[in-house]
Structures are given as C-alpha cells and as structure tokens.
Amino acid sequence: MTRDDLARFILQVAEGSYSTADWQRIAVNHYRDEKMEGARVKLVRYVSGYAAPPEEAHLSLKELLVAIAADLKASP
C-alpha cells in the first residue's frame, strides 16, 4: 500500500464506491508511515461521524475526504 493507493481508496469512499472487503483491508489496517496513518485515522473518524476541526467544520464529508486524499498525494 502506497500513499497514492490510500489516496485512491479515500476518493472511492468519498464517492461511495468501495466494498466492505476493501474497507476491512485498507481502513482498518494500521500503517507505519505517519502520514498514511494520520490520513487513515481521519478517514475512519469522519466516516464514523466524528466532527471535523472547527476550521474545516463547514466542509461536507466528501470535501473532507477529498482534502485528505489531496494531502496524501502532495506529500513526498
């Protein structure tokens, strides 16, 4: 699993086009890469209904997930 792979999965979740098997394999897995693990934690929290930080509270779930994916793709 690379950062790009995880970003693609997050975009699939944003579109609602992912399987339960993929969720179990990707979102429930923990990652050694700090950036990937941070993105995974945000994904799970937001999908589970946790509130975004105040500066992002105006964004929809889809917008939050797209931003997480974009940040992963932009990371070296």
Side-chain angles (χ1 to χ4, degrees):
M1 175 71 54
T2 66
R3 287 180 179 186
D4 281 342
D5 294 335
L6 182 55
R8 274 192 294 280
F9 175 71
I10 293 170
L11 291 174
Q12 289 175 340
V13 173
E15 294 297 329
S17 61
Y18 65 99
S19 68
T20 303
D22 284 343
W23 181 267
Q24 292 297 320
R25 184 174 57 83
I26 299 169
V28 178
N29 190 32
H30 294 272
Y31 299 98
R32 291 183 184 159
D33 180 286
E34 189 174 311
K35 191 78 168 180
M36 290 175 65
E37 181 61 12
R40 184 201 68 82
V41 167
K42 285 182 181 180
L43 165 69
V44 171
R45 285 181 178 165
Y46 294 160
V47 170
S48 298
Y50 283 77
E55 64 274 9
E56 296 177 331
H58 65 284
L59 299 174
S60 69
L61 174 60
K62 183 175 182 176
E63 290 169 324
L64 290 167
L65 297 181
V66 168
I68 294 168
D71 187 45
L72 267 178
K73 287 183 176 186
S75 299

